Amino acid sequence: MLAIHTLLTPIPRRRITIPKLTPFILSPSKSFGVINFYRLRRSLRVITSMAGSGSASTPEHVTEKWFSVPELRLRNHRFSVPLDYSKPSPRISVFAREIVAVGKEEQALPYLLYLQGGPGFEGPRPSEAGGWIQRACEEFRVILLDQRGTGLSTPLTSSSMLQFKSASDLADYLAHFRADNIVNDAEFIRVRLVPNADPWTILGQSFGGFCALTYLSFAPQGLKQVLITGGIPPIGKACTADDVYDAGFEQVVRQNEKYYKRFPEDVKIVRELVIYLAESEGGGVPLPSGGILTPHGLQTLGLSGLGSSTGFERLHYMLERVWDPILVPGSPKRISHFFLNAFETWHSFDTNPLYALLHEAIYCEGASSRWSAHKLREKVECKFDAVRAAKEGQNVLFTGEMIFPWMFDEIHALKPFKAAADLLAKKEDWPPLYDPATLKTNKVPVAAAVYYEDMYVNFKLVMETASQISSIRLWVTNEFMHSGLRDAGRQILDHLLGMINGKKPLF
């Protein structure tokens, strides 16, 4: 039911002071790279602020007017931030959306920053109050961040990235879009948005949890408390991608077994489809956008089909309509346009190509990934050879959250970026993302939901990392999959807040 809201009366302005900011260069003695973070300095500057929230427009921060969706009030903020925090220019735009429950626009609420999963995906676009956002708005002023390069934050799309003249220029640019600079952006926003530059609570989902550990490592002064759902990364090695995919293939095999047990008819459908593709001219069939669907391309449906709630069902119903009906006797068997179109929209590579370009880079610190998933797959190819499995009457296994170099040949939206992707895969001078010494002495309260059967974030690796973080509490559960925050957001957020605020005492 739609709600009608009266216009708000103007909020009186007041003046506050916050410390001036200056770049902080991470000491080489603590890490092998240089990361620029903002820290407080003794000299002060006066800024104009709205009562209850930072909302005055400046060249670095533009605040837009409030608008409404059912039971929520929202307003947009746009920030001009450095692409590289060691240099004043060039600058990019970072977008954040502020959300409060209706009637709480003027209240002095604590802030909660939401860090989206990914990499390369924008923040949620709420159409009404519900789930974790509704629960959060009961006590917080929520900030939904479009991480740099996504959504309305100078988006890096399959069309905008074509402006770069060379693969090396693009690769150099993309190197600034990992967790370290997402945290830089968050701190840039916090000191301009939160009254008195107070620390805030952050909620990190999946890759957003990776960002949360980067935040804890290098800017803990900006954090009041940290909530993580399905997002504790491996740490302690120059590149942890091999560990991730080595463990990942094991979990993917188990998810395939569960899938075929639930939908046994799909065993035959997938076998027939693999053989059809393998025997087609060129080893596959053309996709509507201009790419090609091959047997190993088909296997990537497991990326989202095997690891999230309703993923099994969506994959099954998609496979139900794989073939066109034979309307005229003697007509050849053909894959349906419905299926080919569904395959292309399954991964969102056309709208969110950063996910593919930076997926392995999120695991790198001072070392290259060198196409880790592809390398590790070769070791288990006896299980994942789709054509052989189909011809021998075995189950064809889908792959999981893995990006392979041949995707940049077969997926139309990714083709222009093949050379840049290869440069990123070979890049070795990645700056650090975590500081194990700081995490070991962490004093910021952390509560994390850990999903026991998570296909995307391996349970064993999570527990190894968690043992190296002080002041963390874990909620280990097999009630939810990786998409738990989306599926039961109110329940999960309420549980984590109870853990961190003492309503669920230690036992």
Side-chain angles (χ1 to χ4, degrees), residues 455-475:
M455 187 187 79
Y456 301 94
V457 183
N458 181 264
F459 177 75
K460 180 181 177 181
L461 298 180
V462 166
M463 299 305 288
E464 289 176 0
T465 298
S467 68
Q468 302 175 59
I469 304 172
S470 182
S471 303
I472 188 171
R473 288 191 63 189
L474 302 181
W475 171 31

Side-chain angles (χ1 to χ4, degrees), residues 284-294 343-344 409-413 415:
V285 300
L287 290 164
S289 71
I292 184 172
L293 176 59
T294 63
F343 174 83
E344 289 207 294
D409 293 313
E410 299 182 4
I411 298 173
H412 180 74
K415 284 183 180 181

